[in-house]
Structures are given as structure tokens and as C-alpha cells.
Amino acid sequence: MNTKAKTSDQSNDDELLGESGGIVKRKPVSLSEKPGNLLSKEGFALYVGKTPAAIVAMAKAGKLPAFYMADPLKPGGHAELWISRKEWDKFADQLVEDAPAEWHGWKDRISASKPCRGRGSAA
């Protein structure tokens, strides 16, 4: 099987080059309402709003709780990148908890009530 995926620089990421050289459509990746703890690079890209290429770059730079999984029956075969969504979310929560008091000030600048109209008007 000689299937080659298109790179993110090419026009359509949901197409593959088939064995006979023709283009084969594949379904786009989407997340379920309750995604699992391990996400593929495409799934994690959707989760955080980045491209799969950006996710690969972040993983290579050590900026993600990521690892590569390969088929143990095929030594030296293709390994897939997987990211721990659970660890990512835990760290995001920790960042909020550890944020300085000034950061939390955004909560004082919003309100659920309708704003007053008369600010600065002379009556």
C-alpha cells in the first residue's frame, strides 16, 4: 500500500493519494462531545484551535504532554503522535489557580446586568 497523505501546505487536508495515483476523499476529523483522554494530533488540533502541523511542532519542542505509539508487531514502523488531553486540561487549571490577583481582575470588569446609560451626561 503506497498511500501518501497531503501536507497541510496543500489545498485540501481531507484528500489522500490512492494506490493508483487518484485522489481519495476521507472524512474530516471531528471531536465527540466527550473526547477521550488521548487525542490524535488532528483531534488535539481541533480541541485547542491549532493546525495539526502546529501540534507536531509543539510536541517536538516538548510543549505538550505527548508521546508516539507504534505497533509492537512492526518494529521500525510508523509511529503515531498522541496527546494527553487530561494532562493538558490539568495544567490549564493549574495556570488559572497560580495566576496573580491582577489576572483575576477581569471578573470585576464584567457584569450580567445592563449597563447604565447616563455616564457623563449632564441633566
Side-chain angles (χ1 to χ4, degrees):
M1 183 173 204
N2 191 13
T3 303
K4 181 185 174 200
K6 286 189 168 188
T7 65
S8 60
D9 297 331
Q10 293 168 318
S11 63
N12 199 344
D13 284 339
D14 64 347
E15 293 179 351
L16 295 173
L17 207 53
E19 288 181 33
S20 62
I23 293 179
V24 178
K25 286 276 194 181
R26 66 177 177 180
K27 292 181 182 178
V29 175
S30 61
L31 285 177
S32 69
E33 284 184 31
K34 295 180 183 180
N37 289 333
L38 292 179
L39 297 175
S40 66
K41 65 184 176 205
E42 296 87 1
F44 192 74
L46 287 172
Y47 187 68
V48 297
K50 297 203 174 282
T51 65
I55 297 304
V56 170
M58 290 172 71
K60 285 181 181 177
K63 296 179 178 180
L64 292 175
F67 58 92
Y68 289 89
M69 241 190 322
D71 185 348
L73 300 177
K74 297 180 183 176
H78 175 72
E80 293 182 273
L81 175 63
W82 291 89
I83 299 95
S84 172
R85 181 190 59 83
K86 186 176 179 180
E87 285 297 314
W88 175 267
D89 289 346
K90 256 194 328 190
F91 186 63
D93 291 341
Q94 180 184 335
L95 287 174
V96 171
E97 289 172 16
D98 296 345
E102 309 85 60
W103 183 88
H104 291 279
W106 67 267
K107 298 170 188 169
D108 300 328
R109 294 185 288 275
I110 61 172
S111 172
S113 62
K114 187 174 180 180
C116 298
R117 278 193 69 163
R119 185 187 274 202
S121 64

